[in-house]
């Protein structure tokens, strides 16, 4: 059976990637200091019980955090998720993503469309070109969320929390919605000659993308990735940030009113698509997502409690 995998956001930050495992005084990447649970360990953990009550029973969503080699991609060096970091990530996904869609669209929407399996991996997938994957989606049902062992490092800042984790989920969820209801063909015509496939991370495409009518460098990969980037970046960034990007598209070096209009035209299609097909107001979703993310970053959400009421 052919595996339909969407490769999400590979970043050309090789130097930064090396720094992740070389931080003095931070053992988040030191596997020897972490608690690893494998699939063949039968004893149920407190997290197992919590996941059953908070994910499986209300949503029929399964979270796999135990290391299971058959679920990994043999093309990469894979690392198990640390137990404590998996606990925190399970809370973060539930509070900021699952329950955000509950609040905006209703629990029936989330039950019907949200992916039914998350697989947590401790490390990102590094490629030989200096890029790395943050996450992938498979067959419209499964999301691989990577870099779990760095969550303590990035949960304290909303930009890094979004960049490395939550934007990934919204991006991949958009792909899943697109498999259910396709977006209009007119979308790909707006900047149809500008897509550059896998060259998006290379010069000159890795800079100046706003001025070419794309919301991110990765959006230049294809119209499907462009659509998912538009959706995920819009709901995880403030109105002020979005307006700054639009101004840069218009007045930055090489920018133009046409570039700004192209991005805004694509956003209009995304907005209409979500409203007409799923009764979701994109601005309301953004407000809810950002409020919940701010709750996490400010410490108002207990990310460690796996007790069952």
């Amino acid at each position: 059976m052919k595996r339909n995998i969407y490769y999400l956001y590979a970043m050309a930050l090789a130097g930064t990637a090396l720094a992740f495992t070389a931080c003095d005084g931070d053992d988040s990447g030191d596997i020897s200091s972490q608690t690893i649970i494998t699939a063949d360990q039968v004893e149920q953990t407190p997290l197992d019980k919590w996941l059953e009550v908070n994910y499986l029973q209300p949503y029929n969503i399964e979270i796999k955090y135990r290391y299971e080699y058959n679920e990994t991609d043999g093309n990469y060096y894979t690392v198990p998720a640390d137990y404590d970091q998996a606990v925190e990530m399970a809370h973060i996904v539930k509070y900021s993503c699952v329950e955000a869609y509950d609040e905006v669209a209703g629990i029936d929407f989330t039950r019907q469309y949200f992916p039914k399996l998350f697989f947590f991996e401790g490390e990102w997938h590094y490629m030989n070109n200096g890029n790395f994957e943050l996450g992938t989606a498979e067959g419209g049902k499964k999301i691989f969320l990577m870099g779990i062992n760095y969550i303590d490092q990035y949960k304290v800042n909303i930009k890094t929390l979004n960049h490395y984790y939550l934007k990934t989920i919204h991006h991949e969820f958009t792909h899943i919605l697109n498999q259910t209801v396709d977006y209009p063909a007119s979308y790909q015509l707006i900047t149809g000659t500008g897509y550059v496939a896998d060259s998006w991370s290379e010069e000159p495409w890795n800079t100046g993308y706003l001025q070419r009518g794309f919301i991110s460098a990765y959006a230049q990969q294809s119209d499907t990735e462009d659509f998912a980037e538009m959706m995920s970046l819009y709901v995880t960034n403030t109105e002020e940030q979005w307006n700054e990007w639009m101004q840069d598209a218009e007045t930055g070096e090489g920018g133009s009113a046409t570039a700004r209009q192209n991005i805004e035209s694509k956003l209009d299609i995304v907005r209409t698509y979500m409203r007409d097909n799923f009764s979701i107001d994109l601005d309301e979703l953004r407000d809810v997502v950002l409020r919940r993310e701010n709750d996490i970053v400010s410490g108002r959400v207990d990310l460690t409690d796996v007790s069952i009421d």
Side-chain angles (χ1 to χ4, degrees), residues 37 46 59 122 157 241 262:
I37 311 293
Y59 302 102
N157 181 289
Q241 177 61 78
N262 284 342

Side-chain angles (χ1 to χ4, degrees), residues 4-49:
N4 184 18
I5 301 179
Y6 297 101
Y7 291 93
L8 182 56
Y9 205 89
M11 296 178 53
L13 293 175
T16 306
L18 292 174
F20 290 161
T21 58
C23 295
D24 293 335
D26 182 359
D27 64 358
S28 62
D30 182 4
I31 301 303
S32 65
S33 68
Q34 298 174 349
T35 302
I36 305 301
I37 311 293
T38 59
D40 59 358
Q41 292 176 262
V42 178
E43 184 178 356
Q44 194 175 44
T45 68
L47 177 56
D48 291 326
K49 299 174 184 177

Side-chain angles (χ1 to χ4, degrees), residues 201-216:
S201 63
E202 303 170 1
E203 294 183 353
W205 314 114
N206 56 355
T207 60
Y209 45 84
L210 287 170
Q211 292 77 30
R212 289 190 292 273
F214 296 92
I215 197 59
S216 73

Side-chain angles (χ1 to χ4, degrees), residues 145-175:
L145 197 58
M146 303 160 191
I148 299 300
N149 294 351
Y150 301 107
I151 190 62
D152 272 345
Q153 189 172 335
Y154 295 123
K155 69 181 181 183
V156 297
N157 181 289
I158 195 168
K159 288 187 177 181
T160 55
L161 184 64
N162 271 323
H163 186 75
Y164 291 107
Y165 304 104
L166 301 185
K167 175 186 167 293
T168 299
I169 296 171
H170 292 290
H171 178 113
E172 296 295 2
F173 187 36
T174 304
H175 281 312

